[in-house]
Amino acid sequence: MDAWRTAIVDARDGHIRIRGYDVSALMTGRTFTDTIFLLHQGRLPTPAERALLDAILTGVADHGAGAPSCAAARLAASGNRQSVSSAVAAGILAVGDDHGGAGLGCMEMIAEGLALAAAESLSIEDAARRTVEMARAQGKRIPGFGHRVHSTDPRTAILFDLARSGGIAGDGVAFVTAVERAAAAIVKPLPINIDGALAAVLHDMGFAPAFGRFVFLIGRMAGLTAEVAEELTREKPMRIRIPVEYDGEAPRAMDSQP
Amino acid sequence: MDAWRTAIVDARDGHIRIRGYDVSALMTGRTFTDTIFLLHQGRLPTPAERALLDAILTGVADHGAGAPSCAAARLAASGNRQSVSSAVAAGILAVGDDHGGAGLGCMEMIAEGLALAAAESLSIEDAARRTVEMARAQGKRIPGFGHRVHSTDPRTAILFDLARSGGIAGDGVAFVTAVERAAAAIVKPLPINIDGALAAVLHDMGFAPAFGRFVFLIGRMAGLTAEVAEELTREKPMRIRIPVEYDGEAPRAMDSQP
Amino acid sequence: MDAWRTAIVDARDGHIRIRGYDVSALMTGRTFTDTIFLLHQGRLPTPAERALLDAILTGVADHGAGAPSCAAARLAASGNRQSVSSAVAAGILAVGDDHGGAGLGCMEMIAEGLALAAAESLSIEDAARRTVEMARAQGKRIPGFGHRVHSTDPRTAILFDLARSGGIAGDGVAFVTAVERAAAAIVKPLPINIDGALAAVLHDMGFAPAFGRFVFLIGRMAGLTAEVAEELTREKPMRIRIPVEYDGEAPRAMDSQP
Amino acid sequence: MDAWRTAIVDARDGHIRIRGYDVSALMTGRTFTDTIFLLHQGRLPTPAERALLDAILTGVADHGAGAPSCAAARLAASGNRQSVSSAVAAGILAVGDDHGGAGLGCMEMIAEGLALAAAESLSIEDAARRTVEMARAQGKRIPGFGHRVHSTDPRTAILFDLARSGGIAGDGVAFVTAVERAAAAIVKPLPINIDGALAAVLHDMGFAPAFGRFVFLIGRMAGLTAEVAEELTREKPMRIRIPVEYDGEAPRAMDSQP
């Protein structure tokens, strides 16, 4: 087989270099969040960028045992206690467009909206209005906006404050706040939620849209592992019972053999 | 890289041969259950063996949406609707020693019990008694025995009847029925459940203990896929809410920054 | 929590009924393939339908250890030997649009093509031509057509022969053969492969497009489990070494600490 | 269904509190590594503990695309490009006793060795000698010792230096260095590798043995996500071909139908 190409990690001589930096150097004086940034961007973050990525990762680390990712992990741990990897992976598999997925969708929307602004020499304000009108015409939700519980998600302000005070806030933050204004004018008040906020600041730090999904997976690993640890130490095997109501076909006899 | 060795499937020339048989020949006149048997044993089953493996696979195909495997699959589908593979895999990951695992454990117990009988020239009856006494002394459950709901699992009698009428029942069936008698005498009545029954007849068909787990996974795929299909066509995303009661640390303020 | 609705399996009283039939009845005289059909369609197959589904499941059961699904399963088994579920699930996760996915894509194309024919009162021949022209204009591949190795996939003829002799072949088979003719006339000879063939006959048996993916997952479980069994019994842990060529950033020193 | 108990995250009122701390407070001035420590220990780390956990997470973040976890993730991405969660989960599933697993095994060995010392009033030196002798008598490898490439793993010294300068090094570090001396005297020179080093310092920070596995999973997520991102952006679908050598049964004809 041909060798696989990679530009991420060089471990040929037993020394590990991540994007060119010796792992030993990264282990002293740098943080895990620096390593995450470096692996995905190929450069180390500034202190302001690191603080912002730290805030995002903590912001998505855990949302409670009832979220699909954590619940799936606990269910797997309930039936298959010997394999920690299995339980954690089951949690990862519940993350998708409907759970942990709006960050990626919003980053794509930001990239498209800003490309539209550039292509047609529109202001960000006008491009945001077009984006909202298009979503409305197609009956689509705007990813990263609206919230079941909060009228305002406190995590949004934290990320935007960090981005502004760190000199990071740019077109991404400008675009999502313009979308918020446009939505309020055209549709209804739709506050920027954590997914919309992290999408904006990740865009402004130069991440590709796919990182909107990756960052959720990395952050959520902190919570998933803790949930699985609790399930295994505190609960009995097979303790989880989901009540099921059968509403199908009535009992029937088999008429004839084939 | 060196080539990987395999003795299962030969697909080098585009023709697929499973254990030497052309897949075209297996597709006409043979059944999927024949293929499963062939892949795992290297030979085709007799009609009686095939009927028995069919009965086992159907017997474990589905036990309802509340079982950990099906519930984990539905939870994953609830958050991540774009990926059918993810949902099905999450279900697979809930299968382990405590859910779908007693078949393997019982097959190992049968192999050890019969090895003990051979090594020490014991009758099967005596080896079974020793097995039960050992489990009792160690405070261990006997895998494949006992049931939450049934006093007698109707599926056990079906498998044993098929094994006997097909001339397959041998030392495996003899050993587990001897264990059932010994348990009733020494501990308490512990009926052979589906896992114990399938372990006995799989042993008598020449399968290795690991197949006790594999057969559950293959059979359960029929149910898992149907459960995921139902979740995706009948239910909304994120519809599953698990109620959670927090009983940890009270709210606390952060004293000092690090 | 509210109970989960299900119309598939009723196991409330300990008795298991699949789509209304007692599992005991299905275990005697019926096959695993009957159970698969029943779980997904809500009715038992005719003998001809069962033979066709058997042929499909065997046809996709295994394609060798180098396919992404089997290779991923063996890699997982290589690092994580304690968990059979983990290895099998890793294999399942490699199944997607590019591997095992053309069946679903082709079933959707059949459904759309026949809907087009009905809506615009076109012949199947004309709808097939429109389908090919549309794919060509959009630069898209036609799912279920063409093959790396075979000029003609022998499995296609087997499925179509079974469908015709069993009186099952209908609009699905008619449509994909019309697409094959149209492609040969407009683009180039593109033989119907196993994915196109199974899509056609599954359509004619009344399955929804999603079953084009499910049937691959169910059939491939037979092979995945056998591949994992072989890896665990025949190979050492961590035996798999993939050669990697690093072509990224040269070694660099860290300028300054954050 | 009864509510699930949890002591980790309280999200009942929409506000998220992790182990009692408001997530907003953790997002400002605290790091992601603080959150990981807090989720698993119920308390925030000291600066020295945080620096040590950062070093561990970075130390295990990635070891190159050829490791089973990364290779399985890339294989899954190769066949199933639509689902990032699937690829990442496939990588997680390759982590087990033989890959990423020595940390847990070494933490258990440390806990047992120190319990032995306490129970029998042995010195750490004597308990370490007993541990090595026992492993030798049972023909078992000592988890966390020895290395394929390095005679000395540079990451070990980094972790121990951080632990000593931060006042964290305690019985865990003392025990593994005593084991290293005992192994050199009784068996052969077996340097402490990264798994042995992280096990020692995690023990001294008060983590339970299971965290030896969890920390690898959390750290490796940084690398897995970057490897998957590279596979999806830089490589074509199905580009990975593993060469397979079939050495099984020769082609054979089917004698008779069942």
Side-chain angles (χ1 to χ4, degrees), chain D residues 2 5 13 20 27 39 116 132 138 143 171 174 201 222 251:
Chain D
D2 297 330
R5 297 184 301 169
D13 57 359
M27 288 170 74
L39 276 161
L116 178 76
V132 172
Q138 298 171 352
D171 285 354
V201 302

Side-chain angles (χ1 to χ4, degrees), chain D residues 99-255:
Chain D
H99 175 44
L104 181 153
C106 188
M107 287 185 80
E108 289 175 337
M109 184 187 75
I110 294 167
E112 286 164 20
L114 294 173
L116 178 76
E120 307 196 9
S121 301
L122 299 177
S123 69
I124 282 182
E125 211 65 37
D126 287 341
R129 204 171 303 121
R130 290 262 291 270
T131 298
V132 172
E133 280 160 359
M134 221 155 13
R136 202 191 186 188
Q138 298 171 352
K140 281 188 188 165
R141 293 176 58 176
I142 306 173
F145 288 78
H147 205 279
R148 268 184 295 268
V149 179
H150 298 284
S151 54
T152 317
D153 190 321
R155 295 173 293 176
T156 299
I158 291 172
L159 295 185
F160 284 2
D161 286 352
L162 284 170
R164 283 175 187 134
S165 67
I168 294 164
D171 285 354
V173 172
F175 186 78
V176 300
T177 50
V179 166
E180 189 180 36
R181 280 189 299 271
I186 303 171
V187 191
K188 64 173 180 182
L190 282 173
I192 303 168
N193 61 32
I194 175 77
D195 295 314
L198 68 84
V201 302
L202 287 176
H203 175 93
D204 287 340
M205 287 193 281
F207 284 98
F211 193 71
R213 181 69 50 90
F214 289 129
V215 82
F216 186 88
L217 292 172
I218 300 169
R220 186 50 57 102
M221 274 302 274
L224 279 178
T225 51
E227 300 277 349
V228 170
E230 185 181 64
E231 183 69 29
L232 294 177
T233 53
R234 196 179 182 194
E235 308 291 352
K236 289 187 184 158
M238 298 291 283
R239 63 111 183 173
I240 298 172
R241 295 281 150 205
I242 309 268
V244 175
E245 187 188 330
Y246 177 76
D247 62 356
E249 194 68 64
R252 51 180 166 165
M254 210 165 286
D255 296 329

Side-chain angles (χ1 to χ4, degrees), chain A residues 8 18 32-33 35-37 39-40 211 214 217-218 221, chain D residues 57-58 60-62 216-228:
Chain A
I8 297 169
I18 298 180
F32 180 45
T33 300
T35 301
I36 296 167
F37 194 106
L39 276 161
H40 280 274
F211 193 71
F214 290 129
L217 291 173
I218 300 169
M221 274 301 275
Chain D
L57 290 163
T58 288
V60 300
D62 201 342
F216 186 88
L217 292 172
I218 300 169
R220 186 50 57 102
M221 274 302 274
L224 279 178
T225 51
E227 300 277 349
V228 170

Side-chain angles (χ1 to χ4, degrees), chain A residues 123-134:
Chain A
S123 68
I124 283 182
E125 211 66 38
D126 287 341
R129 204 172 302 120
R130 289 263 288 272
T131 298
V132 172
E133 278 161 359
M134 222 156 9

Side-chain angles (χ1 to χ4, degrees), chain C residues 1-2 64-68 71-72 75-82 85-87 89-90 92-99 148 213 230 234 237-238 240-244 247, chain D residues 1-2 64-68 71-72 75-82 85-87 89-90 92-99 148 213 230 234 237-238 240-244 247:
Chain C
M1 194 181 65
D2 297 331
L75 269 163
S78 168
N80 182 7
R81 291 171 83 83
Q82 292 68 42
S85 293
S86 291
I92 293 291
L93 292 171
V95 175
D97 281 9
D98 292 293
H99 175 45
R148 268 184 296 267
R213 180 70 49 90
E230 187 181 61
R234 195 180 182 193
M238 298 292 284
I240 298 171
R241 295 280 150 204
I242 309 268
V244 175
D247 62 356
Chain D
M1 193 180 65
D2 297 330
L75 269 163
S78 167
N80 182 8
R81 292 171 83 82
Q82 292 68 43
S85 294
S86 292
I92 292 291
L93 292 171
V95 175
D97 280 8
D98 293 292
H99 175 44
R148 268 184 295 268
R213 181 69 50 90
E230 185 181 64
R234 196 179 182 194
M238 298 291 283
I240 298 172
R241 295 281 150 205
I242 309 268
V244 175
D247 62 356

Side-chain angles (χ1 to χ4, degrees), chain B residues 32-179:
Chain B
F32 180 44
T33 300
D34 285 326
T35 301
I36 295 167
F37 194 107
L38 174 63
L39 276 161
H40 280 273
Q41 288 247 31
R43 66 174 179 89
L44 285 161
T46 65
E49 288 173 326
R50 182 180 57 229
L52 198 42
L53 185 52
D54 269 317
I56 292 169
L57 289 163
T58 288
V60 300
D62 202 342
H63 207 147
S69 51
C70 288
R74 281 175 175 262
L75 268 162
S78 167
N80 182 8
R81 291 171 82 83
Q82 292 69 42
S83 175
V84 157
S85 294
S86 292
V88 169
I92 293 291
L93 292 171
V95 175
D97 281 8
D98 292 293
H99 175 45
L104 182 153
C106 189
M107 287 184 80
E108 289 175 337
M109 184 186 76
I110 294 168
E112 286 164 19
L114 293 173
L116 177 77
E120 307 196 8
S121 301
L122 299 176
S123 70
I124 283 181
E125 211 65 37
D126 287 341
R129 205 171 304 120
R130 290 263 289 272
T131 298
V132 172
E133 279 160 359
M134 223 158 5
R136 201 192 188 191
Q138 299 171 351
K140 282 188 188 164
R141 294 176 57 176
I142 306 173
F145 288 77
H147 205 279
R148 268 185 295 267
V149 180
H150 297 285
S151 54
T152 315
D153 189 322
R155 295 173 293 177
T156 298
I158 291 172
L159 295 185
F160 283 2
D161 287 351
L162 284 170
R164 282 172 189 135
S165 67
I168 293 165
D171 284 355
V173 172
F175 186 78
V176 301
T177 51
V179 167

